[in-house]
C-alpha cells in the first residue's frame, strides 16, 4: 500500500462530505489480525462506521450510520475498544459495548465536559488514556480509563494550553500550543504514569532552511521513532510532497523529472472538525520551485510492462546530522499527475512510522526569527521508547548548513585526526573534573507522584460521625527502584486544619466494607489492627472506591516487593462477604520463642468470590462458592476490580456465585385471634433478621451489594435447624429461645424463615470443576520440596457423600474424576493430614477416622467411629502433621490426645478455647483459628484471625493466642505454609532481651479442660 486512493461511494444516499475521521481498533481482544475500525463524522454532525476493513480489503465494504444523541463535531478511536466523540454543545460521548463480535459498539454514554462553564472542542483517545481540550484551551486527562470502564472516573487538569492534541502509540501525546502554535510532545509518558510529566516543544525548520537540511528526505531512527519525508507513489490520483528547487539541484540522488509543470493549483489541506482549523487554514500557492508533471497514459502503460512504477523519492545529503527534522507533506487534488523518476534502490524503502503535520498557509511568509504556525499534528505511527534519550529537541539546521560548507574543504583524514584529538581532550578533562568531586556523596534522584480526592472519614473520637475530608496519596521512588508512599487525610476540627497520615509500607490490609448507604473501605495498620479500629473512608461512588482500592493495593504491594501471583506457601483467607485475601508468610512467623506478630502480616486481595478455600504447599488450591460450586486456582492474580498492571492478562476467568438472603417472619400468640403479627412492645420486629434487632421486610431487603442481583422470589425455607411444620413455622416459648418444629401448649411465639436467591458475576483466577456441588474439601499437606505422583484430595458433596479426587497433580490441579467412598450416614466436614490421616465429621456431630489410606490406596478401607466430647456435637475438623483439632457447634476448640503411629485414632479430647468459628492446622502443626468476641479498643470483634503461640513438638497444644486481622473474617487456611522457622540455640536466647512487641496477647477465655477416653469402634 504505497499510494493514497479514493474510497468509492457505493451508496447514493451518503451525506455531505466528512470533516473528521479516526482509525483504530486493531488491538481489540480476540480480534483477528489485520482487522481495523474506521469512524467518520460528516458536516451535518452524523457518525459513520466503515465495515469489513481488513488487510485483504483495506478500503472496507460499506458505510453504516451510527445513531448519536446529538450533533458530533469530532471523533477519536483508540487502538483498542475506546471511542470518544465531541458534541457541538461541548459534551463528550463514549461508545460502549465494542468488542470482537460488535466492533460498532452498542450504545453511547454522555460524559460532561471537564469544565461545566466551558465545553470541550477536541478529544484524543489512546490504548488506556483519554485527553481532551476545552474551548479555553485547557488540557484535561481522564483517569480510570480501561476496557472494562471506557467512561473513566474523573478529569484531571493538566498544565499548559493547547488548541488540539493527539495520542499515538504507547499512549504518547502530541499537541499544538495555543499561544505559539508550536508542536509539543508530552514527556515522561510510561505505563505507570500515563499522564506524563511535562510538555516539550519540538523544533521545526523554516522553508529557507530546508535547502540545507536533509533529514526531510529520509527515514532516520531516533529513540524508536522514524520521521519520514519520503512519499512513494505508483498510480494516478496520488499525492507527493513539495521539494525545494535548491535542494533538488544539490542532491545527487534526486529523480530526473520529464515534461512541463502544470499551472499551480491550490492545495487541499486536511480539515478536521475543530473550529480553529477552519478559521486559520487558507489555501496557498505552491512554493517557487515545486515540480509536478503529468504522466501520459501510454508512457505509463509501457513502463508497467517492463518494471514496477518507480516512486518519487526525496533524497538527502549524507553530510547531515542524525537528528530527524520536519518535512512538508502537502495533499493536492486527486487529479494531479505525477512525473516518473529514475528507479533507484531508495524507491524500494518506506518509512516504518511517521508524525504527520500540516503547516498553516499564511499570506505573508514568516520572518527569519519566526517559526511555522502549526494547526494539526498526528503521531499515530510514532513509537516512542520512554527509556531512551530523545535528540529531537536539538535543532540541527544550522549545524547541517555549516557541515555542508565545511565538507567542501575538509578531507576525511583531517576529520579523523580532529575527532581523535577532541576525544582525548574530553577524556582528560572528564577525568580531571571527576577526581575533584570523588569525596561528594552520590545524589539520589527521586520522582514524586500525588493523587488527591475528596472523601468522607469516620471520625475516630466521639461523637462518631462521617466528616468530609481531603484524601491524598503521595508516592516517591529513588534510583534504586524502591517505592514508598504516604497517605494523608486532611480534616477540620474546631475550625482548625489538621491531618492524620499512614505510611504505605505500614498498611497491612485494605478491605471493602458492606454498607447500605455508603461505598466504604477500611485501612488497617499494625496499631489499628490491635485496636480493631481501622481508618474508614467512604467514596462518592462505588467505582471511585474500587479505583482507590486498586491503586492503594498496588502501591502497598510495590512498597513490600509483592508482585505477581501468590506463592505456593501463601496463607489464604475469606471474609464474610466472600472476598479472598492472601498473605506471604515470613519464616519468622512460626519462630519460637519470638515469632513475628500476627498484626504485622500484609494481606492483599485476589479477584473472585468464595465461601471456603483449601491449599497445600505444592500450589494446589481449591475453593467452594456459596452455591457449592467447586473452583480450582488457575495460577493468575488480580481480576475483579483489579485491572491493568494490577492483574495478570491470562488465567483470569469469569466466576459466578449464588447465595440466599434470609429474613424471618415473627408472630405471637393472642388468646382471641391466635398467632398474629402484633407483638408486645418489648418484642422483636415482626419482620426481622435472625437476631431480631434489625427490621427486614420483603420490600426493603436488598441484595448484599450492587454487584448482586435477585434471581428468584421470596420463598419459605423448610431447611432450618430444629425442623419446621408443614407451613415452615418453628415454635418457642418466647423470643429469643430454642425453636422446634411442632407446637406445644407452652409455645407462645413462632417464626419462619423466608429465602431469596441473588447472584454475583465477577472475574478471578479460578476455573470451575463440574459437575458435583461440594460443601467441604481438603488437600494433603506436605513440604514444599516433596515430590508425589498424586496429591490426595478428599471432599464432601452437598448431599453428604464422601468423595476422593483422582489425578490431582501440581500440573493438573483440577484432577480427572471422582471416586465415591461409602458411608452409613451423611458427612459435613473432612480433613486429611500427615501420614494420610483422614478424619471426618458426620452431620449428627460424631467423628470418624478412615483407616489404611495411602498413595497406593487413596480411598482407604473402613471408617472408625470416634466418640465426640461430652455433650457436644462437632462441626469441623482439621488435621496437621501429628495434631488433630476440632470445633463443636458451641464454638469450643478441642485437641485430640494420644495420637501415635500405632494408634492414630487417639485417646481423649482436651478443651483448648471457646468462641472459635473455624480452625486450620498446617503441615508444621501450626494452629490458626477464626475467633469471635475478641476484645478491641471500642467493642468486641467477631471473625478475627488468631495464631496459636508456643506450639512445639513437646507442647503441641501451644500456650496462648496472638490476634491478627479482624473482624469480618470467616475462613483461613495455613495448610500451604511449610516454611520452617530458623533454629535458635539456647546460648543465643540467654543473651537476647525479650522485645516488648513479642509479648503474646492474652489468650482467649478458657474453660476447664474436659476429656474423655475414646473407645475406638470399627464400623
Amino acid at each position: 500500500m504505497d499510494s493514497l486512493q479514493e474510497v468509492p461511494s457505493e451508496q447514493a444516499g451518503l451525506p455531505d462530505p466528512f470533516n473528521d475521521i479516526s482509525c483504530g481498533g486493531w488491538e481489540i481482544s480476540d480480534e483477528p489480525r489485520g482487522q481495523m475500525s474506521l469512524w467518520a463524522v460528516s458536516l451535518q454532525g452524523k457518525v459513520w462506521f466503515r465495515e469489513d476493513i481488513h488487510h485483504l480489503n483495506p478500503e472496507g465494504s460499506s458505510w453504516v450510520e451510527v445513531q448519536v444523541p446529538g450533533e458530533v463535531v469530532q471523533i477519536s478511536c483508540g487502538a483498542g475498544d475506546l471511542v470518544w466523540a465531541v458534541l457541538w454543545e461541548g459534551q463528550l460521548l463514549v461508545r460502549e459495548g465494542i468488542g470482537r463480535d460488535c466492533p460498532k459498539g452498542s450504545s453511547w454514554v454522555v460524559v460532561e465536559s471537564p469544565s461545566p462553564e466551558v465545553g470541550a472542542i477536541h478529544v484524543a483517545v489512546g490504548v488506556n488514556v483519554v485527553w481532551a481540550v476545552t474551548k479555553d484551551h485547557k488540557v484535561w486527562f481522564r483517569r480510570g480509563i480501561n476496557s472494562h470502564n471506557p467512561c473513566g472516573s474523573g478529569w484531571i487538569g493538566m498544565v499548559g494550553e493547547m488548541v488540539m492534541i493527539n495520542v499515538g502509540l504507547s499512549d504518547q501525546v502530541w499537541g499544538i500550543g495555543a499561544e505559539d502554535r508550536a508542536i509539543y510532545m508530552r514527556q515522561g509518558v510510561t505505563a505507570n504514569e500515563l499522564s506524563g510529566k511535562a510538555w516539550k516543544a519540538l523544533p521545526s525548520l523554516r522553508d529557507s532552511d530546508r535547502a540545507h537540511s536533509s533529514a526531510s528526505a529520509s527515514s532516520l531512527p531516533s529513540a524508536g521513532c522514524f520521521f519520514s519525508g519520503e512519499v512513494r507513489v505508483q498510480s494516478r490520483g496520488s499525492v507527493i510532497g513539495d521539494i525545494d528547487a535548491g535542494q533538488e539541484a544539490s542532491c545527487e540522488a534526486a529523480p530526473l523529472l520529464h515534461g512541463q509543470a502544470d499551472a499551480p493549483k491550490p492545495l487541499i489541506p486536511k480539515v478536521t472538525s475543530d473550529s480553529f482549523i477552519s478559521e486559520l487554514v487558507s489555501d496557498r500557492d505552491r512554493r517557487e520551485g515545486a515540480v509536478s508533471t503529468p504522466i501520459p497514459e501510454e508512457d505509463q502503460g509501457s513502463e508497467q510492462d517492463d518494471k514496477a512504477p518507480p516512486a518519487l523519492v526525496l533524497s538527502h545529503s549524507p553530510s547531515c546530522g542524525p537528528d530527524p527534522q520536519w518535512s512538508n507533506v502537502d495533499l493536492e487534488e486527486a487529479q494531479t499527475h505525477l512525473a516518473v523518476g529514475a528507479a533507484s534502490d531508495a524507491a524500494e524503502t518506506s518509512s516504518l512510522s511517521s508524525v504527520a503535520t500540516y503547516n498553516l498557509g499564511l499570506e505573508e511568509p514568516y520572518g527569519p526569527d519566526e517559526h511555522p504556525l502549526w494547526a494539526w499534528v498526528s503521531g499515530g505511527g510514532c513509537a516512542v521508547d520512554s527509556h531512551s534519550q530523545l535528540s529531537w529537541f536539538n535543532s540541527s539546521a544550522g549545524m547541517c548548513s555549516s557541515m555542508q560548507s565545511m565538507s567542501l574543504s575538509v578531507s576525511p583524514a583531517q576529520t579523523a585526526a580532529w575527532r581523535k584529538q577532541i576525544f582525548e581532550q574530553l577524556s582528560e578533562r572528564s577525568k580531571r573534573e571527576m577526581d575533584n568531586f570523588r569525596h561528594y556523596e552520590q545524589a539520589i534522584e527521586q520522582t514524586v507522584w500525588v493523587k488527591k480526592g475528596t472523601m468522607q472519614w469516620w471520625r475516630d473520637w466521639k461523637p462518631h460521625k462521617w466528616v468530609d475530608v481531603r484524601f491524598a496519596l503521595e508516592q516517591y521512588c529513588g534510583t534504586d527502584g524502591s517505592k514508598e508512599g504516604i497517605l494523608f487525610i486532611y480534616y477540620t476540627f474546631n475550625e482548625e486544619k489538621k491531618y492524620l497520615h499512614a505510611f504505605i509500607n505500614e498498611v497491612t490490609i485494605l478491605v471493602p466494607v458492606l454498607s447500605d448507604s455508603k461505598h466504604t473501605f477500611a485501612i488497617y495498620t499494625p496499631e489499628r489492627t490491635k485496636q480493631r479500629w481501622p481508618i474508614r473512608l467512604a467514596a462518592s461512588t462505588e467505582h471511585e472506591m474500587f479505583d482507590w482500592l486498586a491503586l492503594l493495593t498496588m502501591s502497598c504491594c510495590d512498597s513490600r516487593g509483592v508482585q505477581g501471583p501468590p506463592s505456593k506457601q501463601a496463607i489464604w483467607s475469606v471474609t464474610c462477604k466472600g472476598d479472598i485475601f492472601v498473605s506471604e508468610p515470613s519464616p519468622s512467623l512460626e519462630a519460637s520463642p519470638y515469632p513475628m506478630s500476627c498484626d504485622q502480616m500484609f494481606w492483599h486481595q485476589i479477584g473472585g468470590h468464595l465461601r471456603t478455600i483449601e491449599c497445600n504447599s505444592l500450589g494446589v488450591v481449591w475453593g467452594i462458592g456459596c452455591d457449592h460450586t467447586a473452583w480450582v486456582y488457575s495460577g493468575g492474580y488480580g481480576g475483579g476490580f483489579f485491572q491493568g498492571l494490577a492483574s495478570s492478562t491470562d488465567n483470569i476467568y469469569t466466576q459466578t456465585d449464588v447465595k440466599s438472603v434470609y429474613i424471618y417472619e415473627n408472630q405471637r400468640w393472642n388468646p382471641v385471634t391466635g398467632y398474629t403479627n402484633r407483638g408486645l412492645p418489648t418484642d422483636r420486629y415482626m419482620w426481622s433478621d435472625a437476631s431480631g434487632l434489625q427490621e427486614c421486610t420483603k420490600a426493603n431487603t436488598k441484595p448484599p451489594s450492587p454487584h448482586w442481583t435477585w434471581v428468584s422470589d421470596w420463598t419459605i425455607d423448610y431447611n432450618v435447624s430444629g425442623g419446621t411444620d408443614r407451613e415452615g413455622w418453628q415454635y418457642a416459648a418466647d423470643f429469643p429461645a430454642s425453636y422446634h418444629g411442632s407446637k406445644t401448649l407452652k409455645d407462645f411465639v413462632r417464626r419462619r424463615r423466608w429465602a431469596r436467591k441473588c447472584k454475583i458475576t465477577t472475574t478471578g483466577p479460578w476455573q470451575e470443576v463440574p459437575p458435583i456441588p461440594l460443601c467441604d474439601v481438603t488437600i494433603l499437606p506436605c513440604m514444599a520440596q516433596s515430590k508425589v505422583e498424586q496429591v490426595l484430595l478428599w471432599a464432601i458433596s452437598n448431599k453428604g457423600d464422601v468423595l476422593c479426587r483422582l489425578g490431582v497433580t501440581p500440573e493438573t490441579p483440577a484432577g480427572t474424576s471422582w471416586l465415591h467412598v461409602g458411608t452409613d450416614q451423611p458427612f459435613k466436614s473432612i480433613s486429611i493430614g500427615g501420614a494420610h490421616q483422614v478424619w471426618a465429621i458426620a452431620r449428627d456431630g460424631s467423628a470418624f477416622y478412615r483407616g489404611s489410606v495411602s498413595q497406593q490406596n487413596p480411598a482407604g478401607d473402613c471408617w472408625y467411629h470416634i466418640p465426640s466430647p461430652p455433650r457436644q456435637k462437632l462441626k469441623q475438623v482439621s488435621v496437621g502433621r501429628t495434631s488433630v483439632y476440632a470445633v463443636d457447634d458451641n464454638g469450643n476448640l478441642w485437641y485430640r490426645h494420644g495420637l501415635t503411629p500405632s494408634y492414630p485414632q487417639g485417646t481423649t479430647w482436651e478443651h483448648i478455647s471457646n468462641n472459635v468459628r473455624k480452625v486450620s492446622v498446617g503441615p508444621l502443626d501450626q494452629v490458626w483459628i477464626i475467633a469471635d468476641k475478641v476484645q478491641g479498643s471500642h467493642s468486641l470483634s467477631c471473625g478475627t484471625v488468631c495464631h496459636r503461640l508456643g506450639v512445639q513438638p513437646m507442647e503441641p497444644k501451644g500456650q496462648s493466642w496472638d490476634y491478627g486481622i479482624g473482624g469480618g473474617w470467616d475462613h483461613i487456611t495455613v495448610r500451604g505454609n511449610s516454611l520452617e522457622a530458623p533454629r535458635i540455640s539456647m546460648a543465643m536466647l540467654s543473651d537476647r532481651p525479650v522485645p516488648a512487641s513479642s509479648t503474646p496477647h492474652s489468650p482467649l477465655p478458657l474453660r476447664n479442660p474436659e476429656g474423655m477416653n475414646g473407645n475406638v469402634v470399627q464400623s
Side-chain angles (χ1 to χ4, degrees):
M1 299 299 295
D2 297 328
S3 62
L4 294 174
Q5 296 183 359
E6 181 181 1
V7 177
S9 300
E10 73 292 335
Q11 294 173 284
L14 275 180
D16 53 342
F18 295 144
N19 71 339
D20 191 29
I21 60 172
S22 182
C23 186
W26 56 82
E27 292 185 4
I28 294 179
S29 301
D30 300 327
E31 186 74 32
R33 188 175 180 85
Q35 296 284 94
M36 297 181 68
S37 300
L38 180 65
W39 297 76
V41 176
S42 69
L43 292 177
Q44 295 180 352
K46 297 181 180 180
V47 174
W48 296 80
F49 180 82
R50 189 70 175 178
E51 290 189 326
D52 300 329
I53 297 180
H54 51 82
H55 65 285
L56 297 178
N57 184 31
E59 69 274 10
S61 60
S62 61
W63 289 104
V64 177
E65 182 179 358
V66 180
Q67 297 297 325
V68 289
E71 187 176 347
V72 176
V73 296
Q74 188 251 334
I75 196 166
S76 181
C77 176
D81 50 8
L82 295 179
V83 175
W84 282 57
V86 180
L87 291 176
W88 179 263
E89 294 82 3
Q91 298 170 312
L92 297 109
L93 294 178
V94 184
R95 191 65 174 172
E96 289 189 334
I98 295 178
R100 171 187 177 183
D101 300 325
C102 186
K104 297 192 300 292
S106 57
S107 61
W108 293 100
V109 175
V110 178
V111 175
E112 293 298 327
S113 172
S115 178
E117 299 82 9
V118 183
I121 61 171
H122 192 87
V123 67
V125 174
V127 180
N128 294 304
V129 299
V130 172
W131 293 73
V133 177
T134 50
K135 294 180 180 179
D136 55 359
H137 303 309
K138 300 293 184 182
V139 181
W140 301 82
F141 175 81
R142 188 71 174 177
R143 65 182 180 183
I145 293 291
N146 54 63
S147 58
H148 299 279
N149 181 33
C151 296
S153 57
W155 292 104
I156 301 176
M158 310 303 289
V159 177
E161 295 185 354
M162 301 287 165
V163 294
M164 70 87 60
I165 51 178
N166 179 266
V167 180
L169 301 179
S170 304
D171 289 332
Q172 180 61 53
V173 186
W174 313 82
I176 303 294
E179 294 183 1
D180 54 3
R181 300 286 174 169
I183 299 175
Y184 287 84
M185 189 189 86
R186 188 72 175 174
Q187 284 191 313
V189 176
T190 63
N192 295 325
E193 196 168 355
L194 294 172
S195 59
K197 296 180 179 179
W199 295 104
K200 187 73 173 180
L202 278 85
S204 56
L205 293 180
R206 299 186 295 269
D207 288 344
S208 59
D209 295 331
R210 288 200 179 91
H212 307 292
S213 176
S214 60
S216 63
S218 66
S219 300
L220 297 177
S222 176
C225 177
F226 296 85
F227 282 77
S228 173
E230 174 185 312
V231 181
R232 304 204 309 154
V233 185
Q234 294 186 354
S235 64
R236 295 180 59 182
S238 303
V239 297
I240 65 172
D242 290 345
I243 180 171
D244 293 332
Q247 180 181 358
E248 179 185 358
S250 63
C251 296
E252 297 178 359
L256 190 60
L257 304 181
H258 301 276
Q260 300 295 327
D262 292 343
K265 297 182 180 181
L267 299 177
I268 304 177
K270 176 190 186 316
V271 180
T272 69
S273 61
D274 300 288
S275 59
F276 64 88
I277 294 183
S278 301
E279 296 174 0
L280 296 177
V281 174
S282 61
D283 293 340
R284 64 183 177 124
D285 293 337
R286 201 168 311 168
R287 296 197 314 273
E288 183 180 357
V291 180
S292 178
T293 307
I295 303 175
E297 294 184 3
E298 57 275 8
D299 294 344
Q300 188 177 16
S302 63
E303 286 289 329
Q304 291 178 353
D305 294 338
D306 298 335
K307 56 185 178 179
L312 182 59
V313 180
L314 307 182
S315 65
H316 70 287
S317 171
S319 64
C320 181
D323 294 338
Q325 301 295 330
W326 296 107
S327 62
N328 230 15
V329 181
D330 296 329
L331 303 184
E332 302 184 13
E333 293 181 353
Q335 292 79 9
T336 303
H337 300 287
L338 303 179
V340 178
S344 64
D345 294 339
E348 300 302 325
T349 64
S350 61
S351 62
L352 299 181
S353 59
S354 63
V355 176
T357 63
Y358 179 72
N359 185 8
L360 284 176
L362 302 177
E363 295 180 1
E364 296 295 334
Y366 36 76
D369 296 331
E370 298 175 355
H371 62 81
L373 301 183
W374 301 100
W376 178 82
V377 63
S378 176
C382 184
V384 178
D385 185 359
S386 60
H387 303 288
S388 300
Q389 295 293 332
L390 303 180
S391 58
W392 305 345
F393 307 108
N394 301 322
S395 179
S396 58
M399 182 179 65
C400 291
S401 176
S402 61
M403 289 181 65
Q404 274 189 332
S405 61
M406 290 174 60
S407 63
L408 300 178
S409 58
V410 179
S411 65
Q414 290 174 314
T415 302
W418 287 348
R419 287 179 178 176
K420 182 178 180 179
Q421 181 183 1
I422 293 173
F423 177 76
E424 291 175 352
Q425 292 176 353
L426 290 176
S427 299
E428 182 181 354
R429 175 184 174 183
S430 177
K431 181 180 179 180
R432 183 176 63 253
E433 292 183 351
M434 290 300 296
D435 289 340
N436 296 332
F437 295 95
R438 289 188 181 276
H439 62 283
Y440 283 85
E441 295 183 358
Q442 181 69 30
I444 301 177
E445 179 184 358
Q446 289 187 346
T447 59
V448 180
W449 180 86
V450 180
K451 180 177 180 180
K452 300 179 180 180
T454 57
M455 291 192 184
Q456 287 188 314
W457 168 55
W458 185 251
R459 198 165 63 181
D460 285 344
W461 59 87
K462 293 183 180 180
H464 301 298
K465 64 178 182 178
W466 289 104
V467 180
D468 293 332
V469 297
R470 291 185 296 112
F471 185 73
L473 168 63
E474 180 177 322
Q475 280 186 291
Y476 51 91
C477 61
T479 55
D480 58 349
S482 61
K483 296 183 179 181
E484 299 296 340
I486 307 177
L487 295 174
F488 291 97
I489 299 177
Y490 301 93
Y491 64 95
T492 303
F493 181 68
N494 291 335
E495 299 183 355
E496 182 180 357
K497 294 183 178 180
K498 297 184 177 182
Y499 73 92
L500 59 89
H501 71 279
F503 292 97
I504 281 293
N505 58 6
E506 293 182 354
V507 174
T508 55
I509 193 170
L510 298 143
V511 189
V513 180
L514 276 179
S515 177
D516 295 336
S517 57
K518 292 184 179 295
H519 309 286
T520 64
F521 63 95
I523 303 176
Y524 284 88
T525 62
E527 185 62 31
R528 290 183 174 270
T529 298
K530 296 175 184 177
Q531 300 173 357
R532 312 275 169 254
W533 191 258
I535 300 174
R536 292 185 61 185
L537 296 169
S540 57
T541 63
E542 185 180 44
H543 177 76
E544 184 180 0
M545 179 191 73
F546 286 139
D547 187 24
W548 274 107
L549 276 176
L551 176 61
L552 293 173
T553 300
M554 191 164 64
S555 300
C556 293
C557 290
D558 289 341
S559 68
R560 296 176 179 265
V562 178
Q563 301 292 339
S567 68
K568 297 178 181 179
Q569 311 289 327
I571 300 175
W572 297 73
S573 64
V574 181
T575 68
C576 298
K577 279 183 53 182
D579 295 328
I580 306 164
F581 287 85
V582 295
S583 178
E584 297 297 336
S586 168
S588 61
L589 189 60
E590 301 296 338
S592 180
Y594 305 115
M596 186 185 83
S597 180
C598 248
D599 51 38
Q600 300 287 336
M601 297 174 63
F602 172 66
W603 299 84
H604 65 281
Q605 191 170 351
I606 296 290
H609 189 275
L610 295 173
R611 177 181 58 85
T612 184
I613 194 169
E614 284 298 330
C615 64
N616 77 346
S617 50
L618 296 180
V620 179
V621 183
W622 277 52
I624 301 175
C626 297
D627 58 356
H628 304 288
T629 301
W631 302 85
V632 63
Y633 176 62
S634 64
Y637 63 96
F641 59 83
F642 294 102
Q643 305 295 334
L645 298 178
S647 177
S648 56
T649 56
D650 52 358
N651 295 324
I652 299 295
Y653 305 93
T654 301
Q655 184 181 13
T656 60
D657 202 1
V658 177
K659 72 176 183 179
S660 296
V661 176
Y662 300 105
I663 61 175
Y664 290 84
E665 181 183 3
N666 307 302
Q667 292 187 350
R668 176 172 286 277
W669 171 261
N670 186 303
V672 179
T673 60
Y675 284 104
T676 178
N677 57 4
R678 292 187 177 182
L680 299 176
T682 56
D683 279 344
R684 61 179 57 192
Y685 294 103
M686 291 297 100
W687 287 88
S688 70
D689 60 357
S691 66
L693 301 178
Q694 185 175 356
E695 185 177 14
C696 299
T697 65
K698 293 182 180 180
N700 66 12
T701 301
K702 299 178 181 179
S705 76
H707 293 281
W708 293 82
T709 56
W710 295 120
V711 293
S712 71
D713 294 327
W714 291 104
T715 58
I716 299 174
D717 185 10
Y718 296 93
N719 187 22
V720 183
S721 177
T724 66
D725 61 11
R726 291 181 299 178
E727 296 181 352
W729 292 103
Q730 290 183 303
Y731 299 87
D734 201 357
F735 300 119
S738 59
Y739 296 90
H740 45 269
S742 58
K743 182 183 181 306
T744 65
L745 294 176
K746 297 181 180 180
D747 294 330
F748 297 100
V749 296
R750 68 177 183 178
R751 71 172 187 179
R752 63 178 172 184
R753 189 165 74 174
W754 292 79
R756 189 176 186 182
K757 292 182 178 181
C758 56
K759 180 180 180 180
I760 187 174
T761 300
T762 182
T763 58
W766 305 96
Q767 285 183 292
E768 183 178 355
V769 183
I772 301 177
L774 306 178
C775 67
D776 196 18
V777 65
T778 181
I779 307 173
L780 176 69
C782 53
M783 306 306 290
Q785 62 273 17
S786 300
K787 295 183 179 180
V788 294
E789 295 181 359
Q790 178 174 308
V791 179
L792 296 188
L793 186 148
W794 288 60
I796 297 178
S797 72
N798 193 28
K799 297 180 180 179
D801 298 325
V802 178
L803 306 170
C804 179
R805 189 68 172 176
L806 304 179
V808 177
T809 65
E811 293 74 24
T812 58
T816 56
S817 60
W818 290 107
L819 175 63
H820 182 267
V821 179
T823 60
D824 58 355
Q825 60 178 315
F827 282 21
K828 62 181 178 181
S829 176
I830 196 166
S831 181
I832 182 172
H836 304 91
Q837 306 173 70
V838 177
W839 286 65
I841 305 296
R843 288 186 178 178
D844 63 359
S846 58
F848 289 87
Y849 171 81
R850 186 71 175 177
S852 303
V853 178
S854 64
Q855 287 286 345
Q856 295 73 26
N857 185 22
D861 291 338
C862 57
W863 291 104
Y864 295 87
H865 179 262
I866 309 296
S868 301
R871 300 179 301 278
Q872 303 295 334
K873 293 183 178 181
L874 300 178
K875 69 174 183 179
Q876 190 235 337
V877 65
S878 184
V879 185
R881 181 165 53 183
T882 60
S883 301
V884 175
Y885 282 80
V887 179
D888 63 30
D889 288 338
N890 295 318
N892 298 306
L893 179 66
W894 300 88
Y895 169 75
R896 187 68 176 174
H897 271 289
L899 272 70
T900 63
S902 59
Y903 197 65
Q905 299 92 330
T907 56
T908 59
W909 292 103
E910 180 180 348
H911 184 267
I912 302 299
S913 185
N914 56 3
N915 298 323
V916 177
R917 186 184 302 179
K918 293 282 183 67
V919 62
S920 178
V921 184
L924 304 177
D925 282 337
Q926 63 267 47
V927 181
W928 293 66
I929 63 171
I930 302 295
D932 292 330
K933 299 182 180 179
V934 175
Q935 183 63 50
S937 61
H938 293 73
S939 61
L940 296 177
S941 175
C942 294
T944 301
V945 174
C946 300
H947 177 209
R948 189 68 173 173
L949 301 179
V951 175
Q952 298 181 14
M954 301 304 294
E955 186 70 29
K957 297 178 296 182
Q959 299 173 352
S960 60
W961 294 105
D962 180 24
Y963 302 146
I965 195 66
W969 257 248
D970 190 60
H971 180 84
I972 188 172
T973 176
V974 295
R975 297 170 65 81
N977 180 21
S978 60
L979 291 177
E980 297 192 63
R983 299 183 181 274
I984 303 177
S985 64
M986 297 304 296
M988 296 173 60
L989 292 178
S990 60
D991 299 334
R992 176 178 175 179
V994 178
S997 60
S998 64
T999 305
H1001 297 285
S1002 301
L1004 295 174
L1006 298 177
R1007 294 182 179 177
N1008 294 327
E1010 297 182 8
M1012 132 171 231
N1013 293 327
N1015 298 320
V1016 181
V1017 180
Q1018 182 175 353
S1019 58

